[in-house]
């Protein structure tokens, strides 16, 4: 079905562009993932860009839905005479400022990876121009030119160490070509696309890693795909597909990502590093500008691939480091970090270097775990696991789990959902990963404390089946509980609770209702240890006072001989306290 062209860059054009971009990235995702060559061979640039735009689309659609709801309520409240006499609004939808602002905000909070983070800043740069005071509810060709120029400049400013031959180069070329174009939005968009496509073709000559692999920059390819959707928005017709050169020779490993040289998203590093950091750390951050300036300096000293985007109090931080905990702590010092994601690149993962080196081999085995708080994310990552942070009330989708499995870059993956409600989602993700040639075993852990127990006995040198059996047995032998606060009145297995009551859940069922956190926690622990146990694991949430753990530790020492206790800080994990008894 042909796309109806838009004459101006208005709210409807924003909505159309976002939708077309998402569909185009969906078609190109695997191809972009496959040429992911710099700085880390993690094969996920296309997926990261898709998820970033998916978040932008959701935000824009929410603005349109809210406008339609408000318009319906207004119409319902008016009498027929009032409706006929009321002046008609110039626009039948939300304003350009609302739509483009939602697009930028959605991309910011949903940005993934280097390329997704930089794309979010490109969209934010455009929004800053298109929402400037005094501008109308639609932009013509001149406005689109200014937006593309500011987008390219702001993206470069967000990257700590820009390198040519990346998405930044492609964005600058698009802005240059748009500057030279005359005419309406269609002409400007077409010029930007052609300029970007030409720059993309030249990236192998600018970045040795791309030239060795015989591919173009993956992040740049993604941006050209998004600009092709912009052309289709204003012309009704999509340009031809982007020509992507394939690697000159097949390389070892057998998997999709191994068919190419070490791959990458937008480069933010020089090429004289032999090895790159072990962890990717990403989080949203609420902080003031001055604090973010200090944060940039600290993170730049800790690692590389540093990209900090956003503004007006909300930022998206991306960095590769060896000390994931220090990167998170730096965010805590700067403001309030949340939605923290820590990914372990795995043994042998490295940034490409200026010397000829063999491509990164897949690790033999990896553990991928869903965790409920940034403290646990750091704990799991330090143990070598690839983590996916589950935000309270926002469980990860199967696509996010598949992406985490891909990022683990291993032939064999043990998947720990750590939540009974994620079992089916995790099963779907495991099935999808198996179709990509990855051997995946799903251990049905129902709590992060069961995942800790499984990870404690993980031995990559064992046969896969033996390792899975040992981890499954350790998880199954761990009883789990949590202490939380009731949000509303409800019927439970322990009776009726009121909003604000403290609840103690054992193995998923409410067992205790009370008013004091320490008392409820002590009762829960006593009931769990009545059946025996050798080790108690306590994971405190941010809102739980440390004294709760101190009292529980003292209780175990006094009443339960030969039982050990370990305490971790879980961060914003939803529950006040998680308890495990092995």
């Amino acid at each position: 079905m042909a796309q109806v062209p838009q004459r101006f860059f208005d709210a409807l054009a924003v909505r159309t562009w976002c939708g077309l971009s998402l569909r185009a990235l969906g078609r190109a995702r695997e191809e972009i993932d496959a040429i992911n060559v710099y700085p880390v061979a993690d094969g996920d640039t296309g997926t990261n860009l898709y998820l970033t735009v998916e978040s932008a689309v959701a935000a824009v659609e929410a603005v349109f839905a809210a406008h339609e709801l408000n318009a319906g309520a207004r119409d319902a409240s008016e009498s027929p005479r009032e409706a006929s006499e009321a002046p008609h609004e110039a626009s039948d939808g939300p304003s350009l400022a609302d739509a483009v602002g939602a697009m930028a905000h959605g991309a910011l909070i949903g940005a993934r990876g280097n390329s997704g983070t930089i794309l979010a800043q490109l969209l934010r740069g455009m929004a800053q121009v298109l929402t400037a005071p005094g501008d109308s509810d639609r932009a013509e060709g001149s406005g689109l030119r200014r937006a593309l120029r500011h987008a390219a400049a702001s993206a470069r400013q967000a990257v700590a160490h820009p390198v040519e031959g990346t998405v930044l180069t492609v964005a600058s070329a698009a802005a240059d070509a748009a500057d030279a174009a005359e005419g309406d939005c269609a002409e400007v968009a077409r010029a930007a696309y052609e300029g970007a496509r030409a720059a993309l073709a030249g990236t192998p000559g600018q970045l040795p890693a791309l030239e060795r692999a015989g591919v173009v920059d993956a992040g740049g390819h993604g941006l050209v795909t998004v600009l092709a959707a912009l052309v289709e928005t204003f012309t009704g017709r999509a340009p031809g597909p982007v020509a992507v050169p394939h690697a000159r020779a097949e390389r070892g490993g057998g998997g999709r990502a191994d068919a190419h040289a070490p791959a990458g998203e937008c480069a933010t590093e020089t090429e004289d590093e032999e090895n790159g950091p072990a962890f990717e750390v990403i989080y949203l951050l609420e902080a003031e500008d001055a604090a973010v300036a200090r944060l940039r300096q600290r993170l730049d000293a800790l690692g590389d691939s540093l990209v900090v985007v956003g503004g007006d109090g909300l930022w998206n931080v991306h960095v590769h480091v060896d000390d994931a905990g220090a990167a998170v702590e730096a965010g805590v010092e700067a403001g309030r970090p949340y939605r923290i994601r820590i990914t372990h690149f795995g043994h042998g993962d490295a940034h490409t270097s200026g010397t000829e080196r063999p491509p990164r081999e897949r690790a033999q085995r990896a553990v991928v775990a869903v965790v409920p708080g940034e403290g646990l994310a750091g704990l799991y990552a330090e143990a070598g696991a690839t983590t996916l942070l589950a935000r309270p009330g926002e469980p990860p989708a199967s696509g996010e789990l598949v992406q985490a499995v891909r990022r683990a870059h291993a032939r064999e993956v043990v998947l720990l959902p750590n939540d009974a409600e994620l079992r089916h989602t995790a099963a779907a993700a495991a099935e999808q990963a198996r179709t990509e040639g990855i051997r995946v075993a799903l251990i049905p852990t129902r709590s992060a404390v069961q995942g800790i127990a499984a990870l404690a006995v993980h031995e990559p040198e064992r046969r896969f089946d033996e390792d899975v059996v040992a981890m499954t047995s350790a998880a199954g032998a761990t009883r789990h509980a949590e202490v939380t606060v009731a949000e509303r009145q409800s019927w439970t297995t322990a009776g009726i609770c009121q909003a604000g009551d403290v609840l103690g859940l054992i193995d998923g069922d409410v067992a205790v209702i009370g008013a004091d956190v320490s008392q409820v926690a002590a009762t829960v622990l006593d009931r769990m240890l009545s059946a025996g146990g050798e080790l108690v694991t306590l994971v405190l949430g941010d809102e739980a006072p440390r004294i709760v753990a101190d009292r529980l530790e003292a209780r175990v020492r006094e009443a339960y001989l030969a039982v050990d206790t370990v305490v971790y800080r879980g961060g914003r994990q939803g529950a006040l306290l998680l308890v495990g008894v092995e």
Side-chain angles (χ1 to χ4, degrees):
M1 182 177 177
Q3 175 65 42
V4 177
Q6 305 297 314
R7 293 183 58 198
F8 305 102
F9 200 76
D10 57 9
L12 184 56
V14 172
R15 186 186 201 182
T16 302
W17 181 32
C18 287
L20 290 173
S21 295
L22 186 64
R23 289 193 285 275
L25 287 170
R27 293 189 296 268
R29 179 186 61 78
E30 290 188 2
E31 185 175 46
I32 297 173
D33 282 346
I35 63 168
N36 191 187
V37 221
Y38 186 95
V40 177
D42 47 4
D44 63 355
T45 294
T47 301
N48 284 338
L49 290 168
Y50 179 87
L51 292 172
T52 301
V53 173
E54 184 179 47
S55 182
V57 168
V60 172
E61 290 302 322
V63 165
F64 272 83
H67 185 275
E68 291 168 5
L69 183 64
N70 291 337
R74 185 171 58 250
D75 292 344
S77 66
E78 292 179 344
S79 67
R81 180 176 179 179
E82 289 174 329
S84 64
E85 293 178 352
H88 292 287
E89 295 183 3
S91 172
D92 292 330
S95 68
L96 171 60
D98 287 342
V100 78
M103 174 186 71
H105 180 76
L108 175 67
I109 64 174
R112 308 295 178 88
N114 256 359
S115 291
T117 306
I118 291 171
L119 177 61
Q121 187 67 5
L122 287 166
L123 297 179
R124 177 178 171 80
M126 293 184 68
Q128 287 175 323
V129 171
L130 297 171
T131 59
D135 281 1
S136 68
D137 248 7
R138 66 184 193 184
E140 300 188 0
S142 59
L144 182 56
R145 283 197 298 272
R146 293 196 309 273
L148 291 169
R149 169 55 61 199
H150 186 66
S154 62
R156 279 188 176 270
Q157 292 171 359
V159 176
H161 302 289
V163 172
E164 297 304 328
T166 68
V167 64
L168 298 177
T169 303
V170 176
S172 294
D176 290 343
D179 281 344
E182 298 291 340
D184 58 12
C185 287
E187 292 300 320
V188 173
R190 189 179 291 108
Y193 166 76
E194 293 295 345
R197 190 172 68 163
L200 177 65
T203 56
Q206 296 174 292
L207 203 55
L210 302 178
E211 186 176 24
R212 288 195 301 271
V215 298
V216 296
D217 179 66
H221 180 7
L223 179 58
V224 171
T225 302
V226 170
L227 290 173
L230 186 63
V231 174
E232 186 177 0
T233 299
F234 295 116
T235 66
R237 302 187 62 168
V242 180
V244 180
H246 294 284
R248 286 190 292 268
E250 291 295 317
R251 316 212 180 201
R256 170 180 52 76
D258 289 326
H260 303 281
E265 306 185 29
C266 166
T268 62
E269 310 307 319
T270 58
E271 290 197 274
D272 56 1
E273 295 182 78
E274 278 299 315
N275 294 297
F279 299 102
E280 178 185 59
V281 178
I282 305 173
Y283 50 79
L284 291 178
L285 177 70
E286 293 178 357
E288 299 298 326
D289 290 4
V292 171
R294 294 190 295 271
L295 175 66
R296 288 180 193 268
Q297 294 178 349
R298 181 168 178 189
L299 292 180
D300 194 25
L302 284 175
D304 57 36
S305 293
L306 174 61
V307 185
V308 181
V309 304
D312 301 321
L314 180 62
W315 308 82
N316 190 306
V317 178
H318 171 281
V319 67
H320 295 172
V321 293
D322 281 320
D323 190 342
V328 175
E329 288 172 6
V332 172
E333 291 179 5
R336 188 178 80 87
Y338 61 104
R339 292 195 185 183
I340 299 170
R341 292 182 179 85
I342 301 174
T343 301
H344 185 262
F345 287 129
H347 256 343
D349 191 6
H351 291 233
T352 57
S353 71
T355 59
E356 289 292 339
R357 358 188 352 233
R360 176 169 74 98
E361 292 288 339
R362 284 182 180 272
Q364 181 59 34
R365 189 173 309 156
V367 176
V368 174
V370 181
V371 291
E374 62 270 19
L376 282 174
L379 175 68
Y380 272 74
E382 288 171 8
T386 294
T387 62
L388 178 62
L389 193 67
R391 287 86 63 187
E394 298 180 44
S398 61
E400 293 179 276
L401 282 170
V402 172
Q403 182 198 18
V405 170
R406 291 184 185 128
R407 291 182 68 82
H409 200 61
R411 298 181 180 90
E412 301 168 339
V413 171
V414 179
L415 183 57
L416 306 175
N418 291 338
D419 187 337
E421 295 183 1
L422 285 179
R423 184 170 182 176
H424 295 300
T425 301
E431 191 60 35
Q432 172 62 35
R434 292 182 188 116
T435 66
E436 299 177 8
I438 304 171
R439 189 180 184 188
V440 182
L442 171 61
I443 297 180
T445 48
R446 294 175 292 169
S447 170
V449 292
Q450 288 188 323
I452 291 172
L455 199 56
V457 301
H458 169 54
E459 291 186 13
E461 292 74 23
R462 275 193 298 225
R463 290 178 53 238
F464 185 62
D465 290 340
E466 292 176 354
D467 198 27
V468 171
V469 168
M471 294 177 73
T472 302
S473 177
T478 303
R479 298 189 68 195
H480 64 94
E482 68 177 79
V483 176
T484 188
V485 177
E487 296 181 356
R488 65 185 67 86
Q489 184 185 58
S490 178
W491 287 90
T492 76
T493 51
I496 299 176
C497 70
Q498 305 294 328
D501 283 347
V502 180
L503 307 180
L505 289 79
I506 299 178
D507 294 332
D509 293 324
V510 176
V512 183
I513 300 174
D516 181 78
V517 174
S518 294
Q519 290 179 0
V520 170
T523 302
V524 166
L525 187 58
D526 285 341
R527 292 192 185 183
M528 296 179 74
L529 286 173
S530 65
E534 299 175 354
L535 176 65
V536 173
T537 300
L538 304 175
V539 183
L540 263 70
D542 269 358
E543 297 181 3
R546 172 69 202 197
I547 194 173
V548 173
D550 293 340
R551 289 174 177 173
L552 293 178
E553 284 186 285
R555 188 177 189 84
V556 171
R557 283 195 305 269
E558 295 168 3
Y560 302 96
L561 299 179
V563 176
D564 295 323
T565 305
V566 292
V567 180
Y568 302 110
R569 275 287 180 181
R572 284 171 287 276
Q573 62 185 20
L576 296 174
L577 176 70
L578 301 178
V579 183
V581 174
E582 302 175 46

